[in-house]
Amino acid sequence: MILTRTAAELAALPRGRRRAVVMTMGALHEGHLSLIRRARELGDQVVVTIFVNPLQFDEQADYDRYPRTLEADLALLEPFGVDAVFAPSEAEMYPAGEPTATVSAGVIGRVLEGAARPGHFDGVVTVVAKLLHLTAPDVAVFGAKDAQQVIAVNALVRDLNFPVEIATAATVRDDDGLARSSRNVFLSPEERHTSLGLSRALFAARDAAEAGQPLPAVIAAGRAILDGDDGIGLDYFAALNPADASELEGDYRGEVVIAVAARVGATRLIDNVTTRIGSPSAEGDWR
Ligand code: PAF
């Protein structure tokens, strides 16, 4: 595994036939390893980036306290068949400090998670754009757990014509359904139990969709589970358009991301499932 620290070192890396890139902020865990496994399936050369991006933090204190564990990250990656790591310094990525030219996630950056964290998705798509230029992948893999990030990155690539395929790796769940998240360690045993309501609500909504229910009934099936639970401080439970994260309602038919965000104790959790409302006709229209 080759460690590169500068854009010049990265550019000198010989290319495989198909380069798959996984972008991370380090502090790697099981969730990242599932992205790397997916990258291995999709490419013959896997490059992992490790960079704590200051542009996507709303608070300086959060950025300062974000764990930086490069040595442990490299040790974790070594047995996973990663060919190269790109771990630039902040000065390498932003030599003049905060960049003048940035990318906007548009309306996607202002709703749902974007409303809770103003500027976050603009910071994400700006660094993703830079890392796509620097790593020049054929395919880049993102975790489906961060649905709005995936939607923002797909919009970036689609709207600005980046020549790259965006792939997702399925959310990793514990046996009881709880989505794995680095925030789960903050949950007490009781809160962890309460948190299961989120995945239960999503699965109930998905079951209703698969049973052919219309969108309002699908959302109602999920909300019924969350509304009855005092321990869950619901922020949103919504059906999103996978193209632009706008909220869907009424007689919409087609693919939807059903997303939930809620506070359990002091911990804010997010989760989602992708499903379909209606079924496609032979012509591909949704009925
Ligand atoms: O998902 C993350 O870890 C970050 O948002 C990403 C995509 C690496 C950009 O900094």
Side-chain angles (χ1 to χ4, degrees):
M1 190 170 76
I2 299 169
L3 174 63
T4 60
R5 304 299 308 248
T6 64
E9 285 170 14
L10 180 63
L13 191 72
R15 278 195 83 85
R17 276 191 316 282
R18 187 166 158 81
R19 179 179 286 180
V21 165
V22 175
M23 298 178 189
T24 79
M25 297 208 299
L28 302 179
H29 53 70
E30 179 58 34
H32 295 106
L33 296 179
S34 78
L35 304 187
I36 290 157
R37 280 190 209 100
R38 184 85 187 107
R40 282 239 66 89
E41 291 165 6
L42 295 170
D44 69 310
Q45 183 185 43
V46 174
V47 177
V48 173
T49 72
I50 299 180
F51 178 63
V52 183
N53 173 36
L55 302 188
Q56 69 188 76
F57 287 80
D58 353 299
E59 285 181 26
Q60 179 70 31
D62 284 347
Y63 171 68
D64 291 342
R65 84 164 86 91
Y66 198 87
R68 278 125 173 122
T69 55
L70 185 60
E71 289 309 313
D73 292 343
L74 296 177
L76 194 71
L77 291 177
E78 187 75 59
F80 274 85
V82 171
D83 298 285
V85 170
F86 176 51
S89 64
E90 196 180 324
E92 178 70 17
M93 287 291 277
Y94 302 117
E98 198 169 331
T100 309
T102 57
V103 184
S104 163
V107 69
I108 299 170
R110 296 192 288 274
V111 296
L112 306 167
E113 291 311 293
R117 303 174 66 185
H120 169 73
F121 287 108
D122 294 342
V124 169
V125 292
T126 297
V127 81
V128 168
K130 276 179 79 81
L131 289 170
L132 287 176
H133 285 312
L134 291 164
T135 58
D138 297 291
V139 56
V141 182
F142 293 85
K145 163 105 180 349
D146 292 318
Q148 202 173 340
Q149 174 165 281
V150 172
I151 293 171
V153 168
N154 272 317
L156 167 79
V157 164
R158 180 190 66 221
D159 294 350
L160 300 183
N161 300 88
F162 278 79
V164 63
E165 180 194 331
I166 300 300
T168 53
T171 301
V172 181
R173 296 183 182 280
D174 289 341
D175 289 344
D176 55 12
L178 185 70
R180 293 255 177 97
S181 160
S182 38
R183 296 185 181 192
N184 293 356
V185 297
F186 302 126
L187 299 168
S188 68
E190 196 188 321
E191 288 168 348
R192 192 192 173 289
H193 182 74
T194 302
S195 304
L196 293 177
L198 273 67
S199 52
R200 240 187 271 127
L202 291 171
F203 298 158
R206 186 175 59 193
D207 288 348
E210 287 174 0
Q213 301 276 325
L215 186 54
V218 166
I219 294 300
R223 285 215 180 119
I225 290 175
L226 296 164
D227 286 347
D229 197 326
D230 290 345
I232 295 180
L234 187 62
D235 184 355
Y236 57 80
F237 184 86
L240 311 183
N241 186 331
D244 59 11
S246 61
E247 204 168 324
L248 298 166
E249 43 196 28
D251 58 3
Y252 173 88
R253 279 152 211 269
E255 195 173 87
V256 291
V257 177
I258 301 180
V260 62
R263 206 164 269 287
V264 178
T267 309
R268 189 165 186 279
L269 298 172
I270 59 168
D271 196 359
N272 71 87
V273 293
T274 297
T275 187
R276 293 188 157 83
I277 309 295
S279 52
S281 68
E283 296 78 43
D285 299 330
W286 290 88
R287 297 182 192 286

